[in-house]
Amino acid sequence: STNTQKASWFVSKWPWLRENLKLVCGEVLRAGRELVWYYGRYDEPALRAFIEDFKPDVIFSARMASIKLLRLEQLVRTIAGVPLVAFTGDAEYTNRLISYSPLFWLRRWFLRRAFRGMMPHYSLYFTSSEVQNKEYATEFGDKFSLLRKCATPISEFASHSPQYPIQIVYAGKLYCNRWKTLALLARVLRGVNAGESLVELSVYTRDVVPLHINKQLHDGIGACLRGAVSASELDSIYSRADIALHVEAFDTRNRLATRLSFSTKVVDCLASGCAVMVIAWEEHAGLVYLRKADAAFWATSEVEMQQLIQRIVKNPAIIHDYARKAMQCVRSNHDRDSIQQGLVQELARVTGKTQHLEN
């Protein structure tokens, strides 16, 4: 209809309006959902029958805390009477966030209250980053441990000598304003290339890309938007690339929202066989981890991006050095057998059923 066309034009004209409408509407829906879960009823007889039939040794809850899941954890723990172990990799408790919605902060108050009430009932609490681990330990005491993502590294890291243009690959979603960081990098590459073909950024994503983003990520100079690929195709792309890239947003709202999030893409990049580059603000858990391990190139601003790219262009041999460092990080910190063995040992400790769990 004509009105629909006008509305679509109006929203496309001002993308910020679309984003803010999504935030407002989403907050109302989330608040309504929490009310339903707060006052709703579970089918306790069916749940009890399942638990008593299954006879678990431990409850493992992998989630981001919500009113729904905290309430469910309490119910399952009461019925099962066994240790409760949780895992998270998101900013579920912190108040270092930005929102202008009273509904957001009301939900946050209820969530934090429920979270504090549940904390004494966890026998063990896993986090995916050292940053979150330390913050929780400071707040709640000593019941926290790290649980990192497993990775299977390729047998050999990329040993070819980088050729111009140096190939940087980003594979993933563009949400939470990650696309803006990619656009900043594309702008840096335009300046560094300056009529030459020295560095090329290829962006692979399944996201539907609006025109105003497409223009910034597909400039025909240093950045190309290439669409979606399968996992096997991505492995092949990494084998021909020089640098695997991970980015996070720089705007205050999103950097606080993702500060504690240790993206699985970080570990995927480490295991790719490429050197790794991470671009994020200085407190981001993924960047803190990679910087401490000296396992990746990193930048925390557009100026640092420019300095980093120029450094790589002037001395491409360091790409090979950082590919080696990335592979060493995977083997030292993300080995599947070591992580799984450690998980079994931790669960055995809280249940006291070592032999049963190891079998």
Side-chain angles (χ1 to χ4, degrees), residues 323-339:
R324 181 183 291 108
K325 290 180 179 182
M327 197 54 56
Q328 182 57 48
C329 182
V330 170
R331 289 170 177 158
S332 299
N333 299 331
H334 301 278
D335 176 69
R336 184 176 301 277
D337 290 339
S338 297
I339 290 174

Side-chain angles (χ1 to χ4, degrees), residues 196-210:
E196 300 181 79
S197 185
L198 301 175
V199 189
E200 182 178 283
L201 168 65
S202 296
V203 177
Y204 295 87
T205 183
R206 297 183 182 277
D207 291 355
V208 177
V209 183

